Amino acid sequence: MIVTFTANPSLDRTVALPGPLERGEVQRAVSVRQESGGKGVNVSRALVASGLESLAVLPGADSDPVLAGLRESAVPFVSLPIDEPLRTNVALTEPGGVTTKINEPGPALDGNQQEALLKLLVESSRGAGWVVLAGSLPPGFPADFYATVAQRLRSSADGAAPRIAVDSSGPPLAAALTDGAEGMPDLLKPNAEELAELAAAAGFPPASGDELEADPTAAAAAAAAVVRSGVGAVLATLGSKGAVLVTADGAWLATHPPVAAVSTVGAGDSALAGYLLAHGRGAAPADCLRQAVAHGAAAASLPGSTVPAVNQTTPDAVTITALRKD
Ligand SMILES: Nc1ncnc2c1ncn2[C@@H]1O[C@H](COP(=O)(O)OP(=O)(O)O)[C@@H](O)[C@H]1O
Ligand SMILES: O=P(O)(O)OC[C@H]1O[C@](O)(COP(=O)(O)O)[C@@H](O)[C@@H]1O
């Protein structure tokens, strides 16, 4: 069972434009769609779509459209009731898949609500194989919240502690790398930009996200610097260039033939779900990476925040190359 934690869920509203985004102009939308979103929510949606067991943990009023959407798509969840509505994130997609996103900050949660959410997560995670801590933190949260959650999950586990995956950005991602092993993630899922930030903090020579995305060998070296700081594995997604996986034992690149991208919203979350799905089947690291990229490519070819089921993915089309990581 895979538990996901989304402190800052969103109603994802995707507006399809008839042509390129024109700043400062009035444009008419071709179509609009809405889905329950947020990184952990998307991972749960993708796992459930493939018949896996997943539980999403999130805040939200019972009547909130994000929770209604989860009920409608039969995604199991537990929620901490809050008074404020959850946020709406807007994605503008252009023909060809170029996606512009505007993410709201989300409702602030006070210290008591944060503690209640943490307790709910710890209780819901008993016996879980993985806990995925994903997305931004709403206003009011300390940046090191994910490290605190990891420590609590490990110290309160009855038997084997769950593995912990983190997919975030900015200060909460940087603070997920802790001094003590108790708070360290087993898996990190940065995109190229996030990898650049993480690697710089781990002492890797400065490189931009664009540079790392264009050069998978450099991305693997950057991810290796992060692994040396104590993270179990880094799955770094590189947009249309695929993804690299670096563990203590090796480094691999996976690429998928080009797809007609429609909306890249949820591609990273789907990639993480693909990795976890294959991991749960006992696949070798390179095959977990293969399924991650197959899921990511399928998600990019689907509209809005739609996540693929495994039977919509093409892992056999993915090419795996072993890389040096130093
Ligand atoms: N334009 C694209 N064409 C094909 N696959 C894509 C495209 N964009 C994303 N992907 C797939 O989705 C995965 C995650 O995308 P990425 O943009 O790196 O993550 P994030 O959504 O977290 O920023 C990639 O590893 C790749 O498999
Ligand atoms: O919490 P953040 O960083 O604002 O991100 C939330 C947004 O990211 C998403 O989870 C999509 O993420 P990816 O495109 O990285 O897979 C959306 O569903 C959501 O609107």
Side-chain angles (χ1 to χ4, degrees):
M1 147 94 132
I2 297 171
V3 172
T4 67
F5 176 67
T6 312
N8 206 2
S10 57
L11 185 65
D12 282 0
R13 200 169 159 80
T14 308
V15 178
L17 299 175
L21 174 65
E22 291 170 25
R23 250 184 99 210
E25 297 298 325
V26 174
Q27 283 177 279
R28 306 265 167 210
V30 174
S31 62
V32 177
R33 52 188 298 145
Q34 275 188 183
E35 276 131 325
S36 299
K39 297 195 189 304
V41 164
N42 291 343
V43 171
S44 278
R45 290 199 295 127
L47 293 169
V48 169
S50 293
L52 271 86
E53 237 189 300
S54 183
L55 177 72
V57 179
L58 70 168
D62 227 32
S63 58
D64 198 282
V66 173
L67 302 196
L70 289 179
R71 278 186 208 105
E72 214 168 280
S73 43
V75 174
F77 70 88
V78 289
S79 55
L80 176 77
I82 59 169
D83 293 333
E84 296 280 303
L86 295 168
R87 61 184 173 153
T88 299
N89 289 344
V90 176
L92 303 171
T93 60
E94 301 172 30
V98 175
T99 304
T100 306
K101 284 217 70 186
I102 300 175
N103 292 0
E104 293 183 11
L109 301 189
D110 65 25
N112 291 337
Q113 289 172 311
Q114 292 170 26
E115 181 55 31
L117 199 53
L118 179 45
K119 260 180 100 180
L120 182 64
L121 175 64
V122 169
E123 281 160 16
S124 308
S125 300
R126 302 214 183 279
W130 281 93
V131 176
V132 178
L133 310 176
S136 58
L137 293 172
F141 277 70
D144 63 356
F145 189 73
Y146 286 146
T148 305
V149 174
Q151 282 158 359
R152 280 275 285 274
L153 283 168
R154 288 181 176 131
S155 62
S156 38
D158 294 336
R163 288 188 174 87
I164 293 164
V166 174
D167 178 2
S168 191
S169 55
L173 176 62
L177 297 184
T178 59
D179 288 338
E182 273 285 281
M184 273 289 193
D186 297 285
L187 175 68
L188 274 181
K189 205 299 288 165
N191 63 17
E193 252 170 61
E194 294 152 0
L195 175 64
E197 286 171 27
L198 274 175
F204 187 75
S208 71
D210 285 348
E211 283 164 340
L212 295 183
E213 191 163 299
D215 182 355
T217 310
V226 179
V227 168
R228 279 195 296 277
S229 73
V231 175
V234 174
L235 168 65
T237 56
L238 308 175
S240 61
K241 301 284 166 26
V244 297
L245 175 69
V246 178
T247 70
D249 303 321
W252 301 267
L253 164 69
T255 55
H256 190 279
V259 296
V262 175
S263 162
T264 57
V265 184
D269 305 336
S270 297
L272 178 54
Y275 178 97
L276 296 173
L277 184 150
H279 190 276
R281 292 198 297 225
D287 286 322
C288 296
L289 174 64
R290 176 190 298 282
Q291 191 58 52
V293 166
H295 256 76
S301 69
L302 293 169
S305 303
T306 313
V307 292
V310 68
N311 62 9
Q312 292 173 286
T313 70
T314 47
D316 292 346
V318 174
T319 303
I320 301 284
T321 314
L323 296 175
R324 286 173 60 94
K325 54 180 180 134
D326 43 15

